[in-house]
Amino acid sequence: MAFITANWNPLGEAFYRKSELYEMCWNLRDGLRDCLVSAAPYGGPIALLREPHKRSPSSRPQLEIYSASGVGIASFPWKSGPVVHLGWTVSDELLCIQEDGSVLIYDLFGSFKRHFSMGQEVVQSQVLEAKVFHSPYGTGVAIVTGSSRFTLATNIDDLKLRRLPEVPGLQGKPSCWVVLNQERQTKVLLSNGPEIYILDSTSCTAVCPPGLGPQAGSIVHMSVSFRYKYLALFTDSGHLWTGPSHLQDKMSEVDTKKSTPPKQMVWCRRPKSQQPSVVLMWDRLLMVAGVCNDTIQFPTEDQCVLVGELDGVRIISSANQELLQEVPLVCQDIFKIASMAPGALLLEAHREYEKSSQKADEYLREIKEQSMLGEAVRQCVEAAGHEYNTDTQKSLMRAASFGKCFLTDFSPDLFVSTCRELRVLNAVRESSVGLPLTHTQFKQMTLQVLIDRLVYRQFYPLAIEICRYLKIPDYQGVSRVLKHWASCKVQQKDLSDEAIARTVCLKVGDSPGVSYSHIAAKAYECGRTELAIKLLDFEARSGEQVPLLLKMKRSQLALSKAVESGDTDLVYTVVTYLKNEMNRGDFFMTLRNQPVALSLYRQFCKLQEQETLKDLYNQDDDHQELGNYYVTASYREKRLENRLSLLQSAVDEYNKAKNEFSAKATEEEMRLLRFQRKLDDEKGAGLLELSLQATMEALLALGLHKQAEQLYRDFRVPDKRYWWLKLKSLAEKEEWEELEKFSKSKKSPIGYLAFVDVCMKSNNTYEAKKYVSKVTPEQRVKAHLAISDLEGAADAATERRNESEMAAVLSRCSTSDRLLIDRLNRARACAVKK
Amino acid sequence: MAAHLSYGRVNLNILREVARKDLREFLDKCAGSKAIVWDEYLTGPFGLIAQYSLLKEHEVEKMFTLKSGRVPPADVKNIIFFVRPRLELMDIIAENVFSEDKLQSSRDFHILFVPRRSVLCEQRLKEQGVLASFINIDEYILDLIPYDGDLLSMEYESAFRECYLENDQTSLYHTAKGLINLQALYGTIPQIYGKGECARHVANMMLRMKREFAGSQNQILPVFDTLLLLDRNVDLLTPLATQLTYEGLIDEIYGITNGYVKLPPEKFAQKKQGEASKDLPTEPKKLQLNSAEELYAEIRDKNFNAVGAALSKKAKIISAAFEGRHNAKTVGEIKQFVSQLPHMQAARSSLANHTSIAELIKDITSMCHLASEAFFDNLTVEQEFMTGVETDKVNPYIEDCIAQKDPLIKILRLVCMQSVCNNGLKQKVFDYYKREILQTYGYEHILTLNNLEKASLLKPQTSSRNNYPTIRKTLKLWLEDANEQNPNDISYVYSGYAPLSVRLTQVLARPGWRSIEEVLKMLPGPHFEERQQLPAGLHKKRQQGENRTTLVFFLGGVTYAEIAALRFLSQMEDSGMEYIIATTKLLNGTTWIKSLMDRPESQIS
């Protein structure tokens, strides 16, 4: 513990420390010499291409992929063309940029994914140098060709090549260049001898870094910081210029007293850095040059590679890997010798407490007197996050926990989350996993991405463990891991379909959010159709299965799944697909087995293809519907003959359906049509299209009583209706004598109140009165009221001793009918009594 | 604007706000000025979500109705089609797009499908060669539209017809989707009950969709305790009966569409002194009816016979309030009075409106009016059927009505009612009615009659046993002497008849369906109960005396009287249950029967 500051080196106000991350697991015979190396930031994997320029077919260069801790992941001989540059994408894919401008993409395990080209003209001019860069848009590639032209692709997943304008006077490649990302624009900064240019998509502008005197010489190396904010330039006179990347300021200029350009130069800073610095590497020397003009120098034994990180620099050598970073302020506060910061005191207090010394109380009191206990706890927790050593983490967390006991309302959130995150980080830092992430990096990359990275490396159990430990909702956590796992599983060629399906189902179960159709699609991509079908069976979302099933030509299955989903649009989709794929007979048969699909298709036909509708009914021997079909069709006909023949077909079908009523009714309809046509022809009566009732009405109105009578008999019209009809017709024509005759022709089937009403409608009280006496006793009151004979109504009601009738009469009385009212009231009282 | 949606037990305004947000987002996707071309059917439902002002804020400058030919000229950058996913509409859109190209203008086209995108339709647009002309093709998920504080409607008119005549369950799919969306906003509903084939189907789809999206839904404390899914065909009787609540009668007589009613203007003439009074308005008076109007909320669910008293009581209160100005002495008091004026004036005009409506209805329904005799006779026959009087014989009143050529729908309502109350008509009676109808109204109606038969509304008796009386007695569907003024039972909404659907709902709450197993078996379709697992920690801790909330979903439509009955149950002090109502469509006997009719137009010239 006491030596925690042993590896601290002062630089200006700040300290820099270099701590070991791993002893590398790899065993590299020739070290890193003669290798093309690329290590991804955020503790990403390392790719090595040995002797990239060896070209004899007998000994091809070997491409090797390692985890950050040096565990071998893949290794294979490089059979393609000469590689200029290696780089990693944000999703852990390896980009191999070849001389001819083609870019080959491999996954972590060395399997080829796809390739693209940086342009046709590059094949001729060849790539001289290339760089892979990251921006909010994804991973990009920049190249400079033999014809001194730059080409950019900002996002390799949405490839758009941009050829940048020519640089005046540039021959071959520039002395050095970097890719910048400024104001959402990707630019190239390059130097050609003493000149510096900025290249964007439209122009090439010469720039001059402020304060860089002409005596400084020409720029031979440059480096941009992790987030493109700062720029470092190294001149052939050994001067190091630093400043913001927009080149409008200068931060410092250091004379390194080195005449050779460094092999690598990387910014080393952290968010809220006190003292940003640049790390420069020569063959046997590592130099940290601060903005404050101070430097630290480390001798190096071996060939190294520097990897710039968000908050430091990783130094990878063939033997080990170290992290060089500025000591975070909070750690400085706590561990600086003789520090009186509250965190330092709390750590001390806890140490004394563990020794059962009363000094613990003294320290605590000192913190409390300044009311800094909360701050002390916070410091310890924060510092623990920055420490890599688990013992240091523990002692800091224990101190924090100890301090927390003396606080009443201190939110435990920070403490708890830091504890959890540290456990996760310690787990992934394990050499066997090999993700040397700092807490700052972890926070920046987010948990989601960390889980993705674990999944890319196929650390499924660990990923699931972490998801569960951190209680991430299944949908975003465990399920995602399982999905990846299953997609990977289905590609295992040595297992049978049956075995894979079983294992997948067992593990994935019905985890929410795992799409079996997605897994099945993967299986189908690998040519395992049978497996895909087996897997689709587990898919809960029937709708999801349909597109893939159609793609695999399992149309019958697709149809039943579509039906199952309940989504009628989906059913329609499959049906239209089947209709085009199958011959008509098979198509109909298929539908027949799927009633839901069949009725939907019928609906479709009703609106779009009437003829097909008939065929469908025919196939099912649905005579009832065929009958309806012909009836409907008959109305579309313009000629009576055609209409009649369609109606005859309807009659036939109704008969086959044993629907006697409909058959008869349709026959009647035909009879009526013929009758109407005949009369229209003979008398121009304009009957066609009228209903039977309306036809009789029209005939009576025209005085064609005989013909009306004929219809009445032929169509067996009920007496009641016919009497109503005749009654109304006569009254309308005011043929009162005829009416009276009619009333006496036989006993009225509709009673005589109807006669009263009809007369009154024509305001003929005189005629109405004739029928009042004939009305049945039950209706007599109504009849009297109809002709406004209140007296008569009152008499009838009183006679019948019917209370509600009396009330009805009363309601019609006005105040002037005093006598009548009294009489009725008396009768009413009398009736109620009884 | 829509404050009334948030007053109820469940804040339905959330749903409306979500819908508005989605609409705004879509409109903003089409940058620049725009014109909307409407599938006319959608304008009503959209009116419940957003007024023109919202559209205007998002640069909608013109609105047209979708019709063939060319989109009228308008100087806008975007043309957006708001349509249902129907093939025939796609053809019209294609035509629109084609005629546009000829004009060589550069307007951008977009389609918004309501309520869902359709592969089939997009396919059709592709076949027509216009699919690529559309910049945005999107869907606007509008399943359950908040209609009132306790009422959701899908405004899906053809749902019943599609389900029972055409075996097309599209509406049920939308229902299930709608319920899933509802659960995303209001939490998982722990208990689902249902009765009927469609209910079963919806519940199955819901449970499956729930499984499919398990884990992705947010953790919300459930607002609804129970969901009850009811098929309309479980209770075919209720919509056939004439509704006797105030709102029900307005709907029966004038028809309420998308929350609006159009009334004859004469009664609403402005009674201003002097000049302008002589010309009467000729345009029908259009009124919005919902609980935002305090008075309407008070009287809408009353039996019409109790409305008069309520109105006159209100009139007294309002005039007393206006009298209050004489008591205002100090400046402060006057100021207070003036501040209340707008509210009082609104109340007064609301009172005037409803007094006019009530008068209109009274002219038609009141017993002592000559013209209203028909209404009364009709009601008497309905009540005879419902009480089981002579349902197995040809009814002379129906015969007379046919002879008088009364509107066909009225006849069909009555005949269907008789059939339902008799569990099918005797073959002779059945054939007699059908013949009468065909001979009087025309043979083309044979298709309609077939449809009614398919929907079991009008059918021949198959078994000799008529189980309607058993159902009526067990469920107490008929109560003599229903108290219309101060009701103590739901039967007041039909002056004696208690709607079967609502009775089922009531029994479910207490004592439970187990007590009526026998009756449930007589009604069509299965009945079932499902439970949905709630994530731990979301189980409601109920306060003592806190009411439970049930969402009753009527698949195939619901009447205003049924809603009134459910509201009555919610308000009953000891019921312990509050109801929110959802449906595919608000209907009455007339609109319902109309939706089942087929009328081929004759082409003979």
Side-chain angles (χ1 to χ4, degrees):
Chain A
M1 226 20 173
F3 307 112
I4 214 157
T5 54
N7 63 348
W8 290 17
N9 301 282
L11 185 76
E13 295 286 289
F15 291 93
Y16 271 72
R17 66 180 173 195
K18 198 167 76 160
S19 32
E20 186 177 79
L21 296 174
Y22 297 116
E23 275 183 37
M24 298 303 278
C25 299
W26 60 27
N27 188 10
L28 301 177
R29 256 178 300 137
D30 306 313
L32 293 166
R33 234 164 294 134
D34 277 335
C35 281
L36 208 54
V37 184
S38 168
Y42 290 101
I46 307 170
L48 290 182
L49 187 64
R50 295 200 161 280
E51 302 175 43
H53 305 295
K54 205 154 68 178
R55 290 212 191 157
S56 82
S58 55
S59 66
R60 294 176 188 280
Q62 188 78 7
L63 182 69
E64 292 166 9
I65 299 173
Y66 295 96
S67 78
S69 57
V71 176
I73 301 176
S75 168
F76 57 92
W78 183 254
K79 289 177 189 161
S80 293
V83 175
V84 175
H85 189 81
L86 293 175
W88 291 94
T89 71
V90 281
S91 45
D92 278 352
E93 286 165 327
L94 181 63
L95 301 177
C96 307
I97 303 161
Q98 299 194 137
E99 231 170 50
D100 63 358
S102 58
V103 180
L104 280 63
I105 306 180
Y106 289 83
D107 75 2
L108 258 179
F109 295 90
S111 39
F112 176 75
K113 306 286 273 191
R114 63 190 176 91
H115 74 98
F116 63 87
S117 163
M118 290 300 288
Q120 211 42 54
E121 69 280 4
V122 186
V123 181
Q124 283 293 318
S125 55
Q126 305 248 299
V127 180
L128 295 182
E129 274 185 350
K131 287 189 199 298
V132 173
F133 58 93
H134 304 284
S135 74
Y137 308 110
T139 303
V141 172
I143 56 163
V144 57
T145 65
S147 52
S148 306
R149 294 295 292 267
F150 285 86
T151 304
L152 282 183
T154 323
N155 178 7
I156 58 158
D157 291 322
D158 177 22
L159 196 66
K160 282 190 192 104
L161 293 178
R162 270 174 34 215
R163 199 150 182 241
L164 301 186
E166 213 163 336
V167 182
L170 181 62
Q171 298 284 322
K173 60 178 185 183
S175 29
C176 56
W177 59 286
V178 286
V179 179
L180 288 178
N181 199 288
Q182 285 176 331
E183 292 144 8
R184 280 179 273 155
Q185 262 203 320
T186 311
K187 303 171 183 174
V188 168
L189 180 73
L190 67 120
S191 77
N192 183 26
E195 276 103 42
I196 307 180
Y197 298 99
I198 280 194
L199 260 182
D200 59 25
S201 40
T202 52
S203 62
C204 176
T205 326
V207 285
C208 182
L212 189 67
Q215 78 288 352
S218 53
I219 290 153
V220 289
H221 207 313
M222 54 174 73
S223 163
V224 69
S225 69
F226 198 74
R227 293 210 252 191
Y228 303 105
K229 242 175 149 172
Y230 299 102
L231 188 69
L233 306 171
F234 190 88
T235 66
D236 57 0
S237 61
H239 279 77
L240 176 71
W241 179 95
T242 56
S245 60
H246 52 66
L247 288 172
Q248 275 159 14
D249 261 323
K250 171 177 157 179
M251 279 153 68
S252 74
E253 196 175 324
V254 186
D255 184 2
T256 61
K257 308 207 171 58
K258 287 275 178 190
S259 52
T260 46
K263 285 201 132 171
Q264 233 186 317
M265 181 166 86
V266 177
W267 273 93
C268 180
R269 58 183 310 280
R270 62 161 61 250
K272 291 184 212 143
S273 223
Q274 286 180 287
Q275 184 61 260
S277 66
V278 179
V279 181
L280 303 98
M281 189 185 73
W282 285 271
D283 259 342
R284 295 196 168 269
L285 178 71
L286 199 70
M287 181 190 283
V288 186
V291 169
C292 59
N293 300 356
D294 267 357
T295 60
I296 311 167
Q297 309 208 355
F298 298 102
T300 53
E301 300 279 304
D302 211 356
Q303 182 104 17
C304 296
V305 172
L306 303 180
V307 185
E309 294 279 4
L310 174 69
D311 56 347
V313 172
R314 274 188 299 138
I315 306 160
I316 302 169
S317 76
S318 58
N320 65 357
Q321 179 171 173
E322 291 169 310
L323 175 68
L324 174 67
Q325 61 170 175
E326 185 190 292
V327 177
L329 192 56
V330 64
C331 298
Q332 258 188 59
D333 280 345
I334 288 180
F335 294 116
K336 209 161 59 182
I337 293 165
S339 168
M340 292 297 278
L345 293 176
L346 179 59
L347 187 63
E348 204 51 43
H350 181 245
R351 216 171 275 160
E352 295 300 333
Y353 169 76
E354 291 211 309
K355 282 191 252 166
S356 309
S357 154
Q358 86 282 3
K359 274 192 186 160
D361 186 47
E362 282 172 27
Y363 282 120
L364 261 180
R365 203 168 301 172
E366 200 178 328
I367 309 171
K368 276 173 133 178
E369 268 164 15
Q370 305 171 49
S371 339
M372 292 298 271
L373 190 50
E375 176 62 12
V377 173
R378 200 193 49 74
Q379 283 188 346
C380 285
V381 172
E382 207 182 303
H386 290 301
E387 288 301 321
Y388 215 83
N389 179 293
T390 48
D391 289 331
T392 317
Q393 292 168 1
K394 276 183 201 157
S395 62
L396 284 165
M397 290 310 273
R398 287 207 184 101
S401 154
F402 174 69
K404 236 159 46 72
C405 299
F406 302 95
L407 288 165
T408 40
D409 49 348
F410 186 79
S411 164
D413 293 349
L414 180 69
F415 181 83
V416 173
S417 64
T418 307
C419 260
R420 289 205 174 125
E421 286 163 4
L422 274 176
R423 289 195 65 178
V424 169
L425 283 175
N426 289 336
V428 302
R429 284 167 185 170
E430 277 290 318
S431 184
S432 55
V433 180
L435 278 171
L437 286 172
T438 65
H439 191 254
T440 316
Q441 290 166 17
F442 169 71
K443 280 303 203 194
Q444 178 67 29
M445 90 189 292
T446 72
L447 180 61
Q448 294 290 331
V449 176
L450 174 61
I451 288 170
D452 281 345
R453 300 243 157 138
L454 288 172
V455 164
Y456 297 147
R457 288 164 174 74
Q458 303 192 355
F459 288 114
Y460 301 116
L462 179 63
I464 289 183
E465 205 64 43
I466 290 175
C467 292
R468 294 209 171 117
Y469 177 65
L470 292 181
K471 299 203 176 68
I472 310 174
D474 278 359
Y475 198 69
Q476 300 156 12
V478 175
S479 296
R480 242 159 30 103
V481 179
L482 285 172
K483 196 166 93 187
H484 277 279
W485 168 78
S487 306
C488 173
K489 190 84 191 165
V490 295
Q491 297 173 31
Q492 286 187 5
K493 299 205 167 62
D494 49 336
L495 288 175
S496 73
D497 289 346
E498 192 56 47
I500 292 180
R502 204 164 347 113
T503 335
V504 168
C505 168
L506 203 68
K507 277 259 165 46
V508 176
D510 46 8
S511 305
V514 182
S515 151
Y516 277 97
S517 23
H518 177 93
I519 304 172
K522 265 270 155 20
Y524 178 64
E525 268 172 38
C526 312
R528 303 185 74 158
T529 311
E530 283 308 311
L531 176 59
I533 291 169
K534 280 202 173 69
L535 288 169
L536 271 185
D537 256 357
F538 298 117
E539 174 66 64
R541 283 170 293 177
S542 330
E544 295 284 301
Q545 312 174 4
V546 174
L548 185 59
L549 284 170
L550 283 182
K551 214 157 123 198
M552 299 193 297
K553 305 247 177 275
R554 305 289 157 133
S555 37
Q556 306 262 358
L557 200 55
L559 183 59
S560 64
K561 292 291 180 190
V563 168
E564 210 175 87
S565 76
D567 183 347
T568 40
D569 185 52
L570 201 60
V571 179
Y572 272 130
T573 311
V574 181
V575 168
T576 21
Y577 179 87
L578 293 181
K579 195 175 143 203
N580 297 331
E581 286 288 302
M582 292 176 156
N583 68 43
R584 209 174 163 88
D586 291 349
F587 175 55
F588 280 7
M589 275 315 287
T590 310
L591 285 185
R592 210 171 172 176
N593 297 326
Q594 290 288 355
V596 174
L598 180 61
S599 20
L600 286 178
Y601 184 58
R602 272 195 205 126
Q603 268 314 101
F604 172 84
C605 291
K606 238 179 226 175
L607 297 169
Q608 307 277 335
E609 293 175 24
Q610 287 279 342
E611 277 301 306
T612 317
L613 190 62
K614 190 171 74 181
D615 298 343
L616 279 173
Y617 290 140
N618 254 324
Q619 182 199 249
D620 292 348
D621 294 327
D622 191 340
H623 299 295
Q624 172 66 30
E625 284 299 338
L626 272 171
N628 293 345
Y629 170 81
Y630 284 121
V631 170
T632 314
S634 78
Y635 282 90
R636 282 196 298 269
E637 286 301 334
K638 290 201 164 59
R639 290 169 47 84
L640 187 64
E641 293 69 37
N642 297 348
R643 179 158 164 191
L644 286 171
S645 88
L646 281 170
L647 284 175
Q648 185 55 51
S649 309
V651 172
D652 298 344
E653 295 298 338
Y654 283 137
N655 275 327
K656 281 186 209 155
K658 301 210 162 45
N659 187 339
E660 212 178 308
F661 178 86
S662 295
K664 266 201 188 137
T666 311
E667 271 169 356
E668 261 187 23
E669 180 178 7
M670 293 166 68
R671 211 147 29 106
L672 180 65
L673 284 170
R674 286 197 188 103
F675 177 89
Q676 288 170 333
R677 165 54 62 92
K678 194 173 133 233
L679 269 198
D680 282 357
D681 288 352
E682 284 170 7
K683 320 238 171 200
L687 298 176
L688 211 59
E689 292 311 323
L690 293 179
S691 73
L692 176 65
Q693 182 83 345
T695 309
M696 294 192 296
E697 230 170 68
L699 289 173
L700 288 177
L702 290 169
L704 299 169
H705 290 270
K706 237 168 73 193
Q707 283 82 351
E709 199 84 7
Q710 187 200 334
L711 284 180
Y712 156 65
R713 271 193 312 275
D714 284 1
F715 285 81
R716 290 185 296 124
V717 175
D719 282 354
K720 275 191 186 173
R721 181 147 53 83
Y722 189 68
W723 271 66
W724 267 114
L725 182 63
K726 187 136 185 194
L727 175 64
K728 284 210 297 203
S729 162
L730 289 173
E732 228 152 72
K733 294 195 338 202
E734 308 209 328
E735 296 179 1
W736 303 118
E737 255 172 63
E738 274 298 314
L739 186 66
E740 200 172 349
K741 240 198 261 163
F742 177 58
S743 80
K744 286 172 185 159
S745 61
K746 69 177 193 182
K747 187 170 179 280
S748 160
I750 53 172
Y752 293 91
L753 183 60
F755 283 76
V756 179
D757 285 340
V758 159
C759 295
M760 286 314 292
K761 236 179 215 162
S762 310
N763 287 322
N764 195 334
T765 321
Y766 173 77
E767 285 296 325
K769 271 184 181 158
K770 288 184 183 165
Y771 304 102
V772 172
S773 57
K774 293 181 129 183
V775 166
T776 56
E778 293 80 34
Q779 293 181 321
R780 196 152 295 157
V781 176
K782 263 193 182 168
H784 281 290
L785 285 180
I787 58 166
S788 301
D789 172 18
L790 294 182
E791 290 275 347
D795 288 344
T798 318
E799 194 180 312
R800 283 168 43 73
R801 293 186 185 142
N802 183 314
E803 202 215 331
S804 67
E805 281 178 11
M806 290 182 214
V809 180
L810 268 173
S811 72
R812 290 278 299 277
C813 292
S814 59
T815 36
S816 55
D817 303 316
R818 168 105 304 178
L819 277 172
L820 199 59
I821 293 171
D822 288 349
R823 210 176 86 202
L824 275 165
N825 276 336
R826 272 200 308 279
R828 203 171 165 194
C830 196
V832 170
K833 240 182 251 167
K834 275 167 190 167
Chain B
M1 276 310 285
H4 62 290
L5 295 177
S6 50
Y7 292 158
R9 171 68 184 262
V10 175
N11 183 357
L12 297 182
N13 204 28
I14 298 176
L15 204 60
R16 184 169 180 270
E17 282 309 320
V18 169
R20 286 165 71 91
K21 191 179 117 255
D22 291 348
L23 183 60
R24 283 194 214 105
E25 278 171 9
F26 175 77
L27 290 174
D28 289 343
K29 247 193 224 174
C30 317
S33 58
K34 21 197 162 283
I36 296 180
V37 181
W38 287 95
D39 169 359
E40 206 165 14
Y41 182 88
L42 290 175
T43 50
F46 263 82
L48 295 164
I49 297 296
Q51 264 70 33
Y52 184 47
S53 54
L54 180 141
L55 300 177
K56 224 171 174 174
E57 276 165 32
H58 294 264
E59 299 179 78
V60 175
E61 291 171 1
K62 286 270 162 58
M63 310 246 259
F64 305 113
T65 306
L66 180 66
K67 48 180 175 251
S68 48
R70 128 179 14 144
V71 180
D75 186 21
V76 289
K77 191 166 174 301
N78 300 284
I79 303 277
I80 313 177
F81 295 95
F82 277 39
V83 287
R84 287 167 296 160
R86 297 199 169 217
L87 287 179
E88 64 273 21
L89 300 180
M90 297 307 113
D91 296 347
I92 301 179
I93 290 179
E95 209 184 315
N96 281 182
V97 173
F98 274 131
S99 11
E100 176 84 7
D101 279 345
K102 280 178 221 146
L103 289 171
Q104 301 255 317
S105 69
S106 59
R107 299 195 283 191
D108 288 347
F109 288 105
H110 314 268
I111 296 189
L112 188 63
F113 282 115
V114 186
R116 225 149 245 118
R117 280 179 86 135
S118 141
V119 188
L120 192 69
C121 288
E122 283 169 44
Q123 191 78 31
R124 172 56 68 102
L125 290 174
K126 201 172 169 185
E127 282 165 22
Q128 301 267 21
V130 293
L131 188 67
S133 313
F134 294 96
I135 311 249
N136 279 308
I137 297 184
D138 234 312
E139 63 182 6
Y140 184 65
I141 300 174
L142 188 66
D143 292 315
L144 288 166
I145 306 166
Y147 206 95
D148 212 325
D150 56 355
L151 180 58
L152 299 165
S153 170
M154 296 171 66
E155 296 299 278
Y156 196 118
E157 197 151 19
S158 50
F160 185 85
R161 183 187 170 106
E162 285 176 12
C163 286
Y164 295 100
L165 290 189
E166 285 148 8
N167 196 19
D168 172 355
Q169 293 167 335
T170 308
S171 62
L172 302 182
Y173 179 72
H174 291 320
T175 305
K177 281 270 182 188
L179 283 166
I180 291 285
N181 286 344
L182 199 71
Q183 290 192 97
L185 289 176
Y186 296 97
T188 303
I189 307 174
Q191 269 185 315
I192 304 177
Y193 292 92
K195 170 75 187 162
E197 292 292 347
C198 294
R200 181 70 266 184
H201 190 65
V202 168
N204 286 347
M205 278 193 284
M206 265 179 81
L207 294 173
R208 209 189 42 243
M209 290 175 189
K210 177 94 190 320
R211 267 205 309 280
E212 290 168 9
F213 298 106
S216 63
Q217 80 244 38
N218 38 13
Q219 311 267 310
I220 297 176
L221 203 66
V223 174
F224 298 105
D225 299 281
T226 313
L227 166 66
L228 171 60
L229 295 162
L230 281 177
D231 273 30
R232 184 70 271 175
N233 87 330
V234 169
D235 174 13
L236 292 171
L237 175 55
T238 304
L240 292 170
T242 305
Q243 310 170 69
L244 295 175
T245 59
Y246 180 52
E247 189 169 34
L249 275 170
I250 297 178
D251 187 37
E252 293 278 351
I253 297 168
Y254 299 105
I256 303 176
T257 30
N258 303 123
Y260 285 89
V261 66
K262 282 183 186 163
L263 296 160
E266 300 80 32
K267 293 252 181 191
F268 297 91
Q270 290 284 326
K271 280 165 198 148
K272 267 189 197 147
Q273 305 101 314
E275 70 279 43
S277 63
K278 51 184 175 279
D279 36 47
L280 281 167
T282 45
E283 285 277 298
K285 170 100 174 168
K286 198 171 173 189
L287 280 177
Q288 189 173 22
L289 298 174
N290 61 37
S291 55
E293 192 183 346
E294 193 186 319
L295 174 65
Y296 187 62
E298 232 170 86
I299 58 172
R300 69 197 302 185
D301 299 321
K302 286 190 186 303
N303 186 292
F304 184 69
N305 286 336
V307 168
L311 285 175
S312 72
K313 202 170 114 198
K314 192 75 184 182
K316 275 181 202 136
I317 294 170
I318 290 174
S319 62
F322 274 100
E323 285 305 304
R325 70 177 185 273
H326 299 305
N327 302 333
K329 295 267 159 31
T330 67
V331 178
E333 282 168 347
I334 292 170
K335 201 173 162 196
Q336 200 196 347
F337 177 82
V338 170
S339 72
Q340 286 169 348
L341 259 180
H343 176 75
M344 284 159 57
Q345 272 156 350
R348 187 159 64 180
S349 92
S350 154
L351 179 71
N353 280 341
H354 288 290
T355 311
S356 304
I357 300 174
E359 276 169 20
L360 282 169
I361 294 176
K362 200 162 177 117
D363 288 350
I364 291 166
T365 63
S366 129
M367 258 179 67
C368 21
H369 205 280
L370 254 178
S372 60
E373 215 165 84
F375 181 87
F376 185 69
D377 290 345
N378 187 63
L379 206 61
T380 312
V381 175
E382 281 183 13
Q383 298 196 341
E384 276 172 15
F385 287 159
M386 288 191 282
T387 46
V389 176
E390 304 211 314
T391 46
D392 53 354
K393 291 196 188 108
V394 172
N395 183 288
Y397 176 71
I398 298 181
E399 266 185 306
D400 282 356
C401 289
I402 295 175
Q404 308 287 347
K405 273 190 142 177
D406 279 0
L408 175 61
I409 291 184
K410 174 186 172 178
I411 309 295
L412 291 175
R413 266 178 90 159
L414 283 171
V415 173
C416 288
M417 193 169 191
Q418 187 178 353
S419 167
V420 172
C421 288
N422 201 48
N423 192 23
L425 297 167
K426 278 187 180 159
Q427 190 70 46
K428 236 177 75 188
V429 179
F430 180 62
D431 285 351
Y432 179 80
Y433 278 140
K434 288 206 292 185
R435 248 173 70 89
E436 284 294 279
I437 289 167
L438 293 182
Q439 288 193 350
T440 310
Y441 298 94
Y443 288 99
E444 69 268 28
H445 295 294
I446 196 165
L447 297 173
T448 298
L449 293 176
N450 281 332
N451 286 348
L452 294 175
E453 202 171 329
K454 237 192 216 169
S456 289
L457 272 162
L458 178 61
K459 59 176 186 183
Q461 213 168 36
T462 41
S463 68
S464 55
R465 215 179 122 64
N466 172 11
N467 52 25
Y468 175 72
T470 323
I471 298 170
R472 186 182 68 227
K473 275 170 212 146
T474 324
L475 293 179
K476 299 198 186 65
L477 295 188
W478 184 260
L479 264 82
E480 289 296 342
D481 310 321
N483 189 338
E484 292 166 347
Q485 302 294 330
N486 295 301
N488 48 14
D489 182 78
I490 55 167
S491 56
Y492 85 91
V493 296
Y494 287 98
S495 292
Y497 167 70
L500 170 59
S501 55
V502 182
R503 199 59 108 198
L504 286 179
T505 314
Q506 190 183 11
V507 172
L508 177 70
R510 201 167 16 178
W513 273 359
R514 207 157 295 167
S515 62
I516 51 163
E517 283 282 339
E518 286 304 308
V519 169
L520 283 176
K521 273 182 206 149
M522 290 176 193
L523 297 169
H527 58 280
F528 60 89
E529 177 185 353
E530 298 283 353
R531 272 167 198 283
Q532 298 199 91
Q533 278 299 322
L534 288 181
L538 287 187
H539 291 278
K540 226 188 209 172
K541 285 171 201 81
R542 199 172 305 284
Q543 305 284 309
Q544 199 163 22
E546 191 191 328
N547 284 349
R548 301 168 62 81
T549 309
T550 297
L551 176 66
V552 189
F553 205 122
F554 289 86
L555 302 164
V558 68
T559 65
Y560 286 99
E562 286 173 297
I563 294 168
L566 285 169
R567 286 188 184 135
F568 171 78
L569 288 182
S570 295
Q571 282 156 13
M572 264 189 4
E573 262 169 32
D574 56 343
S575 77
M577 187 66 86
E578 286 205 39
Y579 295 97
I580 304 291
I581 301 121
T583 184
T584 47
K585 175 77 190 161
L586 290 143
L587 50 73
N588 59 45
T590 304
T591 55
W592 189 35
I593 297 283
K594 214 182 228 163
S595 78
L596 295 172
M597 289 173 76
D598 266 326
R599 279 204 85 161
E601 292 279 328
S602 173
Q603 299 292 323
I604 290 190
S605 42

